[in-house]
Amino acid sequence: MLHMKVWQTGFDPRQSIYEQIVQRFHRSLVSGELSGADRIPSIRDLAVSLGVNTNTIQRAYQEMERSGLIYSKRGMGFFIVEEEQVIEKVKQEVVSQAVVRFLSEMRSLGFDDAKIFEELKNHMKGGGDQDGSANG
Amino acid sequence: MLHMKVWQTGFDPRQSIYEQIVQRFHRSLVSGELSGADRIPSIRDLAVSLGVNTNTIQRAYQEMERSGLIYSKRGMGFFIVEEEQVIEKVKQEVVSQAVVRFLSEMRSLGFDDAKIFEELKNHMKGGGDQDGSANG
Amino acid sequence: MLHMKVWQTGFDPRQSIYEQIVQRFHRSLVSGELSGADRIPSIRDLAVSLGVNTNTIQRAYQEMERSGLIYSKRGMGFFIVEEEQVIEKVKQEVVSQAVVRFLSEMRSLGFDDAKIFEELKNHMKGGGDQDGSANG
Amino acid sequence: MLHMKVWQTGFDPRQSIYEQIVQRFHRSLVSGELSGADRIPSIRDLAVSLGVNTNTIQRAYQEMERSGLIYSKRGMGFFIVEEEQVIEKVKQEVVSQAVVRFLSEMRSLGFDDAKIFEELKNHMKGGGDQDGSANG
DNA sequence: GTGGTCTAGACCACA
DNA sequence: GTGGTCTAGACCACT
């Protein structure tokens, strides 16, 4: 997996870059682009291709290592863990987080379940893909 | 609007306080608790009741003034703008932002519309899952 | 002069109201709408017709009294001074202030006299009256 | 842009400091001293060299960021935006604002175009009249 | 080192 | 009383 799909270089200035990088890995995992035991780009390579400081990538990898998603082999680089259950847990967390956050936000705005579905349908019809690369 | 519903004093440390205050006003607007031409609490009052510095409230009000949602009268306080269209626009933006962000996030995770609905229903049944670590 | 031309109620929020009121009197003087010994509206009347606090009008009149432009007769109201030289001085000051401020601003932006004229001509052709009531 | 022309430390007490700082940047832009992608002084540096608080500089930069003229890179500093069109727009706005304000003011004083030119010429001859009390 | 946020407290202008 | 500005100084996150 040396040549990951090239990521957009644009980062949202409202969130730290390293967090956004972690999120991108999470999404690649959920979407199936990445899977167990894959090697991920070296810190230097990814820093260059994203145009950010190596420290930033290091911080992102450090976070993923702490959460048990990746591990490093000295001199070999970083790898996704092999255990399927760990990967599965991360996937579910990512999805669940998105859904829960959305639901609690809509409810705090006074929307009940029916209205939430209605609002969603409206946006699905008209809006279409915003940035989503619906690689299902 | 003399007696606003008392707000929680607890702020999420991951986000700036003034942003959370702005969001609370946005929600009050969407839910109908606030409406056009209402006077909102004075900077000093809100600072005391929320237990934060006056400067923090001022920053929040400044942001809302910038976005055209409120305006200040020297010596009189801050008021929601009268134009219904402006308020309506803010309401729609708040809701739309939440929906669009959620949709694009789910799609980038490889979910199509049907799967999104399915995932939502699962979480709605489960009910009050706050943290979203529904990792079975 | 009980019925002055009705003024716009809209004030520029970036400047204090009482200053803008003083400026409006100055302009009325320069344009000839007001002249020596004219009676100007009572504080209460003007406050009502402009929709501002009486204190604000009082402050404006106080400023004009200090500068020698108006004076009060107990129980009779405020009047423009009779001395033509005083009025003439105010007129010239108002005009001169506007011109000098404009010139120094344009020069600090790197415009020489020729370019200033050029820029002016451009705006005179296209722009037309913005708010100006060219009552010559 | 490592060596900006040293600015005067004196500020006009009638206007807020942060606004005057913004105006100085605008002028530097119009006069060509600043241009696209230039790095501007760090908040701390400018605060020291102008003898004001860092918060005051931050407020000024915040305003310019809001208007789209500059942007911040965390840990890197502030930069003028690259897009020439944005810069050009700011330049034109600055000049246009000055001219339009002057024209509408003079017209509201009863001056037509010819008289405006005449008045200007008078002041240009006289030269360095700063305070504008040319009351002869 | 950079910017971002927050606090405590001051002074002013305005109503 | 209201908002508007400024200061001094602190802590945090990011590079």
Side-chain angles (χ1 to χ4, degrees):
Chain A
M1 236 288 319
L2 278 171
H3 296 290
M4 291 179 73
K5 189 172 78 180
V6 176
W7 280 339
Q8 303 166 15
T9 309
F11 291 100
D12 182 345
R14 292 171 301 181
Q15 200 186 7
S16 62
I17 295 178
Y18 84 87
E19 279 180 314
Q20 296 179 55
I21 292 174
V22 169
Q23 285 169 10
R24 291 182 181 188
F25 274 102
H26 284 169
R27 287 182 191 154
S28 293
L29 216 64
V30 173
S31 68
E33 192 190 346
L34 276 179
S35 41
D38 277 352
R39 180 177 180 268
I40 63 176
S42 79
I43 289 181
R44 285 183 61 95
D45 283 357
L46 190 52
V48 169
S49 75
L50 290 182
V52 301
N53 195 293
T54 53
N55 292 333
T56 307
I57 308 293
Q58 202 153 30
R59 176 75 188 272
Y61 282 17
Q62 180 187 346
E63 293 288 326
M64 292 193 286
E65 201 171 10
R66 260 204 321 180
S67 74
L69 180 59
I70 66 175
Y71 66 96
S72 68
K73 286 189 194 171
R74 297 215 69 168
M76 307 278 304
F78 282 85
F79 298 83
I80 307 281
V81 295
E82 288 87 0
E83 295 82 12
E84 260 310 315
Q85 49 184 358
V86 175
I87 298 172
E88 201 53 37
K89 184 180 166 187
V90 170
K91 285 187 185 179
Q92 287 177 356
E93 267 177 12
V94 172
V95 174
S96 193
Q97 239 174 39
V99 176
V100 166
R101 192 180 53 186
F102 173 66
L103 278 182
S104 79
E105 188 168 3
M106 292 300 281
R107 282 168 178 160
S108 85
L109 289 173
F111 284 70
D112 59 21
D113 292 359
K115 281 186 182 170
I116 291 176
F117 278 120
E118 198 180 330
E119 197 67 32
L120 264 177
K121 282 172 191 160
N122 283 339
H123 278 81
M124 284 170 170
K125 280 186 304 187
D129 254 23
Q130 285 287 352
D131 101 17
S133 47
N135 37 1
Chain B
M1 224 282 321
L2 283 171
H3 296 290
M4 276 182 92
K5 190 171 76 183
V6 176
W7 280 341
Q8 302 166 15
T9 308
F11 291 100
D12 182 345
R14 291 172 300 181
Q15 198 185 8
S16 61
I17 295 177
Y18 81 87
E19 280 179 315
Q20 296 180 55
I21 292 174
V22 169
Q23 286 169 7
R24 291 181 181 188
F25 273 99
H26 283 171
R27 286 188 198 134
S28 294
L29 215 65
V30 174
S31 69
E33 192 188 348
L34 279 179
S35 44
D38 278 351
R39 183 174 181 270
I40 63 177
S42 81
I43 290 179
R44 288 166 172 87
D45 281 358
L46 191 53
V48 169
S49 77
L50 290 183
V52 300
N53 191 279
T54 54
N55 290 329
T56 306
I57 306 294
Q58 195 147 31
R59 176 73 190 274
Y61 281 16
Q62 185 185 101
E63 297 287 333
M64 291 194 285
E65 193 171 18
R66 218 184 289 179
S67 72
L69 182 57
I70 65 177
Y71 66 94
S72 72
K73 282 190 196 171
R74 280 250 172 163
M76 311 270 315
F78 279 88
F79 300 82
I80 307 278
V81 296
E82 288 87 2
E83 294 82 20
E84 259 310 315
Q85 48 184 356
V86 176
I87 298 171
E88 202 52 40
K89 190 181 165 193
V90 171
K91 285 186 185 180
Q92 285 175 359
E93 270 175 10
V94 171
V95 174
S96 193
Q97 220 174 50
V99 175
V100 165
R101 191 179 54 186
F102 173 67
L103 277 182
S104 82
E105 189 168 2
M106 292 301 280
R107 281 167 178 161
S108 85
L109 290 173
F111 283 71
D112 58 20
D113 291 358
K115 280 187 183 171
I116 291 176
F117 277 122
E118 198 179 331
E119 197 68 30
L120 264 178
K121 281 173 192 157
N122 283 340
H123 280 81
M124 283 171 171
K125 280 185 304 187
D129 197 331
Q130 285 298 340
D131 192 351
S133 48
N135 37 346
Chain C
M1 236 285 327
L2 279 171
H3 296 289
M4 292 179 72
K5 190 173 78 182
V6 177
W7 279 339
Q8 302 166 17
T9 309
F11 290 99
D12 183 345
R14 291 172 302 181
Q15 198 184 7
S16 62
I17 294 178
Y18 85 88
E19 280 179 313
Q20 297 179 55
I21 291 173
V22 169
Q23 285 170 10
R24 290 181 182 188
F25 274 100
H26 284 171
R27 287 183 191 153
S28 293
L29 215 63
V30 174
S31 69
E33 192 189 347
L34 276 179
S35 42
D38 277 352
R39 181 176 180 268
I40 63 176
S42 78
I43 291 181
R44 286 181 61 93
D45 282 357
L46 190 53
V48 169
S49 76
L50 289 182
V52 301
N53 195 294
T54 53
N55 291 333
T56 307
I57 307 294
Q58 201 151 31
R59 176 74 188 273
Y61 281 16
Q62 181 186 343
E63 293 289 326
M64 290 193 288
E65 202 171 9
R66 260 201 324 181
S67 74
L69 181 59
I70 66 176
Y71 66 97
S72 68
K73 285 189 195 171
R74 297 215 69 169
M76 307 276 306
F78 283 85
F79 298 82
I80 308 281
V81 296
E82 289 87 359
E83 293 83 14
E84 260 309 315
Q85 50 184 359
V86 176
I87 298 171
E88 200 53 38
K89 184 181 169 188
V90 170
K91 284 187 186 180
Q92 287 177 355
E93 268 177 12
V94 171
V95 174
S96 195
Q97 239 174 38
V99 175
V100 167
R101 192 179 52 184
F102 173 66
L103 277 182
S104 78
E105 188 168 3
M106 292 301 280
R107 281 168 178 159
S108 84
L109 289 172
F111 284 71
D112 60 19
D113 291 358
K115 280 186 183 171
I116 290 176
F117 278 120
E118 198 179 329
E119 197 67 31
L120 265 177
K121 282 172 191 159
N122 282 340
H123 279 80
M124 283 170 170
K125 281 186 305 187
D129 254 23
Q130 285 287 352
D131 98 18
S133 46
N135 37 359
Chain D
M1 227 285 319
L2 284 172
H3 298 289
M4 275 182 93
K5 191 172 75 183
V6 177
W7 279 340
Q8 301 167 15
T9 308
F11 291 99
D12 182 345
R14 289 172 303 180
Q15 198 185 10
S16 61
I17 296 177
Y18 80 87
E19 280 179 315
Q20 296 179 56
I21 293 175
V22 169
Q23 286 169 7
R24 290 182 183 189
F25 273 98
H26 283 171
R27 286 189 199 134
S28 294
L29 214 65
V30 173
S31 69
E33 191 189 347
L34 278 179
S35 44
D38 277 352
R39 182 174 181 272
I40 63 177
S42 80
I43 290 179
R44 286 166 174 85
D45 282 357
L46 190 54
V48 169
S49 76
L50 290 182
V52 300
N53 191 279
T54 54
N55 290 329
T56 305
I57 306 294
Q58 195 145 30
R59 176 75 189 272
Y61 282 15
Q62 185 186 102
E63 297 287 333
M64 290 194 284
E65 193 172 19
R66 219 185 287 181
S67 73
L69 182 58
I70 65 176
Y71 64 94
S72 72
K73 284 189 193 172
R74 279 248 172 165
M76 311 269 317
F78 279 88
F79 301 82
I80 307 277
V81 295
E82 288 87 0
E83 293 82 19
E84 258 310 315
Q85 47 185 357
V86 176
I87 299 171
E88 203 50 43
K89 190 182 165 192
V90 171
K91 284 187 186 180
Q92 286 176 358
E93 269 176 10
V94 171
V95 175
S96 192
Q97 221 173 51
V99 177
V100 166
R101 193 179 52 187
F102 173 67
L103 277 182
S104 81
E105 189 168 2
M106 291 301 280
R107 282 168 177 160
S108 84
L109 289 174
F111 284 70
D112 60 20
D113 292 358
K115 282 186 182 171
I116 291 176
F117 277 121
E118 198 178 330
E119 196 68 29
L120 265 177
K121 280 173 193 158
N122 283 339
H123 280 81
M124 283 170 170
K125 280 186 304 189
D129 197 331
Q130 285 297 342
D131 192 352
S133 47
N135 37 348

